[in-house]
Amino acid sequence: QKEVEQNSGPLSVPEGAIASLNCTYSDRGSQSFFWYRQYSGKSPELIMSIYSNGDKEDGRFTAQLNKASQYVSLLIRDSQPSDSATYLCAAYAGGTSYGKLTFGQGTILTVHP
Amino acid sequence: GAGVSQTPSNKVTEKGKYVELRCDPISGHTALYWYRQSLGQGPEFLIYFQGTGAADDSGLPNDRFFAVRPEGSVSTLKIQRTERGDSAVYLCASSPNSGPSTDTQYFGPGTRLTVL
């Protein structure tokens, strides 16, 4: 079982719609969670981080964390074609591996006009 | 300010050769990470440096892979006797510090390694 799993997609939504990206993790010791956006051929770029249960909003993006269910999600409101990219969910491993980010395989999002 | 830089951007080598990949982190960042990303996958952790020392090298796949950071800034990932399976994008990231909390990792543009 992968430590961080994402709905593999691809996910296609019309412009202006809400895109919902989901992620589950297996390590209960994970304390911090991150969503990275990666355009084709480019490096990952951090768009959201979340550390506490509940919702965190930043502009059109909302991250949700439920540690009891070991579930993280990212909602993108008013999706734009420029949001089309691969979205990577990552968790900070627990224990002594403080430096290690564990990534999911990514979800490809396409926003069509 | 300048971000994380990596050189070369592309490296093509033949099976069995030795390669070095360089990472120059953001100035002042004490933590440095190497990841490897294969096509269609998320980045996979290789090694993490805190200052000059490798605090966690559990992701290095075998003893052909080695990394150094002698002065606590620039890091070099070294791969001996390259194999076709080593072909991937090697990403470097840095953060101001490290820990279980909140430090953001900033990624460089990556080095695309192709082993023929």
Side-chain angles (χ1 to χ4, degrees):
Chain A
Q1 180 189 2
K2 280 180 173 283
E3 295 181 34
V4 176
E5 293 250 25
Q6 296 183 239
N7 49 336
S8 56
L11 178 65
S12 181
V13 301
E15 184 173 357
I18 295 175
S20 176
L21 305 162
N22 304 313
C23 173
T24 58
Y25 61 95
S26 61
D27 184 353
R28 282 198 173 275
S30 297
Q31 302 182 36
S32 308
F33 303 89
F34 305 85
W35 283 99
Y36 282 83
R37 178 176 62 200
Q38 187 173 30
Y39 292 113
S40 181
K42 302 296 185 182
S43 59
E45 171 194 14
L46 181 72
I47 53 172
M48 287 288 286
S49 57
I50 187 165
Y51 319 108
S52 304
N53 278 328
D55 295 358
K56 179 182 177 183
E57 187 173 319
D58 183 0
R60 296 187 295 111
F61 299 96
T62 299
Q64 299 173 318
L65 174 60
N66 183 324
K67 289 188 177 181
S69 300
Q70 296 176 244
Y71 176 86
V72 191
S73 67
L74 179 71
L75 300 178
I76 306 174
R77 290 182 300 282
D78 188 24
S79 296
Q80 301 297 309
S82 59
D83 295 326
S84 299
T86 297
Y87 288 80
L88 298 162
C89 172
Y92 238 134
T96 57
S97 296
Y98 293 154
K100 175 181 174 181
L101 276 180
T102 301
F103 284 87
Q105 73 273 34
T107 298
I108 298 172
L109 171 67
T110 301
V111 180
H112 51 87
Chain B
V4 178
S5 62
Q6 292 186 245
T7 55
S9 56
N10 279 284
K11 177 70 177 178
V12 180
T13 191
E14 294 179 343
K15 179 175 179 293
K17 299 291 188 183
Y18 168 84
V19 297
E20 289 190 351
L21 312 179
R22 176 188 167 108
C23 172
D24 204 336
I26 293 172
S27 178
H29 282 194
T30 60
L32 185 146
Y33 314 82
W34 283 98
Y35 294 85
R36 177 169 71 173
Q37 187 172 25
S38 300
L39 193 62
Q41 300 296 315
E44 174 190 22
F45 172 81
L46 296 177
I47 187 169
Y48 148 57
F49 287 90
Q50 180 59 38
T52 60
D56 183 355
D57 64 358
S58 63
L60 294 178
N62 52 59
D63 62 6
R64 294 187 298 106
F65 289 75
F66 189 70
V68 295
R69 195 186 184 199
E71 297 177 356
S73 178
V74 171
S75 176
T76 304
L77 178 65
K78 308 180 182 193
I79 310 174
Q80 299 177 322
R81 303 183 305 279
T82 52
E83 300 178 356
R84 293 193 179 89
D86 298 336
S87 297
V89 175
Y90 289 80
L91 294 165
C92 176
S94 70
S95 67
N97 225 312
S98 72
S101 58
T102 62
D103 278 328
T104 299
Q105 294 185 22
Y106 298 89
F107 283 82
T111 293
R112 181 175 298 278
L113 176 66
T114 303
V115 182
L116 301 177

